[in-house]
């Protein structure tokens, strides 16, 4: 497996592969791999000749009081987890290489970024779309795989490639969960046992919404109140948002139907912010 730290070297290698007729899939990550990341890499490997995984904790998508310093990092551990996976190259640049002195360009998707996480993390998506554009230009992949765990991010990236005619096919991967329902996240490593228990409030709320909707409750106001009470009944939880939105526009809705996604963001113990989402009325198998 090739490891590249420098954008020019990454680009040269990828270009050579493309000219040799190989297709490339990029899986952008912030590292500290879990089974969710590995599932994305396997999906990428099933559809493209070569998989490139980028590993970069992108400082520009973190706000001033967020967890950039506490975000888990362990490059050696990650490389061990990649052993046996069909990953042809890892791109792990430093912030200085990605944002050298004089850097001043930003790529911003306007409307779909204003809801949900965009409200509480106003600069987050501009950081994401700028770094993803850079990664796409450096690797020039044919496809890229993103997790539905970051549902809004996926919608924003789809908008980005469509609006800017970026020739990269965007593929979504369903949320990978622990056996008890908790959506896998690198941030889960920062949960102590009590907070780990409280983190189950998110998947529990999703289950509750599905049960209530299944019994005919389609009023978002009613669902929202019940879910908020449920989440706050767990110790040390604080709600960022409990939102019912249209799956494409991400605009809030007042009644749930087959297009409605419940999106959740909850702080646990003031330290770890967790997100989760899912269709409220999933088709069989979802
Ligand atoms: P991250 O390293 O957390 O930035 O995530 C890198 C990619 O993995 C993103 O596209 C995420 O949406 C995706 N991802 C993270 N956790 C999960 C999960 N539990 N299930 C599916 N995809 C995930």
């Amino acid at each position: 497996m090739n490891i590249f730290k420098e954008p020019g070297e990454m680009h040269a290698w990828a270009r050579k592969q493309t000219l040799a007729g190989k297709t490339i899939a990029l899986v952008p990550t912030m590292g500290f791999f879990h089974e969710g990341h590995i599932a994305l890499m396997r999906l990428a490997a099933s559809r493209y000749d070569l998989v490139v995984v980028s590993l970069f904790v992108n400082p520009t998508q973190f706000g001033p009081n967020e967890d950039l310093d506490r975000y888990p990092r362990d490059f050696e551990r990650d490389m061990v987890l990649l052993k046996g996976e069909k990953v042809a190259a890892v791109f792990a640049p430093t912030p200085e290489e990605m944002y050298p002195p004089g850097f001043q360009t930003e790529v911003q998707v306007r409307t779909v970024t204003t809801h949900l996480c965009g409200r509480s993390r106003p600069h987050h998506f501009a950081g994401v779309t700028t770094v993803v554009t850079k990664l796409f230009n450096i690797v020039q992949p044919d496809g890229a795989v993103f997790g539905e765990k970051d549902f809004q991010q996926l919608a924003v990236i789809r908008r980005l490639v469509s609006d800017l005619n970026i020739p990269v096919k965007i593929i979504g991967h369903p949320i990978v969960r622990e056996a008890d329902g908790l959506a896998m996240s690198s941030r889960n490593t920062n949960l102590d046992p009590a907070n780990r228990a409280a983190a189950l409030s998110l998947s529990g709320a999703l289950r509750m919404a599905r049960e209530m909707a299944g019994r005919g409750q389609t009023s978002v106001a009613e669902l929202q109140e019940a879910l908020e009470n449920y989440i706050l009944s767990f110790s040390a939880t604080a709600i960022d948002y409990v939102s019912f939105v249209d799956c494409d526009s991400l605009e809030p809705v007042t009644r749930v139907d087959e297009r409605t996604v419940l999106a959740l963001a909850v702080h646990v113990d003031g330290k770890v912010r967790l997100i989760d989402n899912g269709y409220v009325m999933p088709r069989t198998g979802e």
Side-chain angles (χ1 to χ4, degrees):
M1 190 176 68
N2 298 280
I3 298 174
F4 299 107
K5 302 254 172 202
E6 207 267 311
E9 285 173 12
M10 177 72 249
H11 178 73
W13 179 88
R15 180 109 187 102
K16 201 168 134 205
Q17 304 307 320
T18 305
L19 289 174
K22 304 281 188 199
T23 58
I24 299 179
L26 174 66
V27 181
T29 81
M30 297 205 297
F32 212 77
F33 298 142
H34 50 68
E35 283 171 42
H37 295 115
I38 303 293
L40 267 58
M41 295 172 203
R42 290 183 183 164
L43 177 61
S46 74
R47 301 209 188 164
Y48 294 87
D49 297 327
L50 299 172
V51 177
V52 176
V53 174
S54 63
L55 197 166
F56 180 56
V57 182
N58 176 34
T60 67
Q61 67 190 65
F62 287 78
N65 299 315
E66 294 180 357
D67 60 349
L68 176 61
D69 295 338
R70 273 178 291 124
Y71 198 86
R73 297 166 171 88
D74 190 336
F75 188 74
E76 298 311 321
R77 170 191 176 277
D78 282 349
M79 292 309 104
V80 171
L81 288 175
L82 288 193
K83 285 219 169 83
E85 299 301 327
K86 280 209 225 148
V87 173
V90 170
F91 178 47
T94 61
E96 292 70 31
E97 274 152 341
M98 290 297 268
Y99 304 109
F103 186 92
Q104 53 190 281
T105 302
E106 195 167 83
V107 181
Q108 194 160 10
V109 174
R110 275 198 289 270
T111 313
V112 73
T113 54
T114 55
H115 313 289
L116 306 175
C117 291
R119 278 177 183 243
S120 44
R121 309 184 74 190
H123 205 71
H124 172 68
F125 287 113
V128 170
T129 43
T130 303
V131 80
V132 167
T133 304
K134 282 175 69 73
L135 292 170
F136 284 174
N137 283 330
I138 293 165
V139 178
Q140 300 194 342
D142 300 278
V145 184
F146 292 85
E148 289 171 5
K149 153 111 186 312
D150 297 272
F151 158 73
Q152 186 176 18
Q153 170 173 280
L154 183 54
V156 169
I157 301 290
R158 287 194 197 284
R159 197 70 249 167
L160 168 75
V161 298
S162 168
D163 287 357
L164 296 186
N165 306 90
I166 299 177
V168 177
K169 183 176 165 62
I170 303 302
I171 300 165
H173 188 290
I175 300 178
V176 179
R177 297 178 180 280
E178 303 283 358
D180 62 4
L182 179 66
M184 290 194 184
S185 166
S186 306
R187 288 186 167 98
N188 292 351
T189 194
N190 289 338
L191 296 167
D192 65 23
N195 295 339
R196 171 72 179 67
L200 281 178
S201 60
L202 288 96
S203 53
L206 190 54
R207 201 166 47 240
M208 187 173 174
R210 286 175 174 160
E211 278 165 14
M212 289 177 73
R215 288 199 304 270
Q217 178 57 271
T218 60
S219 156
V220 163
E222 300 279 337
L223 288 162
Q224 222 155 9
E225 194 188 337
L227 266 49
E228 287 181 4
N229 287 336
Y230 170 78
I231 292 168
L232 294 175
S233 74
F234 287 75
S235 72
T237 50
I239 294 171
D240 182 349
Y241 59 75
V242 171
S243 296
F244 291 83
V245 299
D246 178 78
C247 59
D248 285 334
S249 70
L250 273 53
E251 298 280 350
V253 297
T254 54
R255 294 240 156 234
V256 298
D257 62 24
E258 287 73 18
R259 295 177 51 82
T260 307
V261 169
L262 168 61
L264 305 162
V266 174
H267 290 275
V268 178
D269 207 19
K271 288 198 287 278
V272 187
R273 181 179 177 278
L274 299 173
I275 57 172
D276 202 344
N277 71 84
Y279 281 89
V280 181
M281 296 175 170
R283 280 159 304 200
T284 330
E286 273 181 289

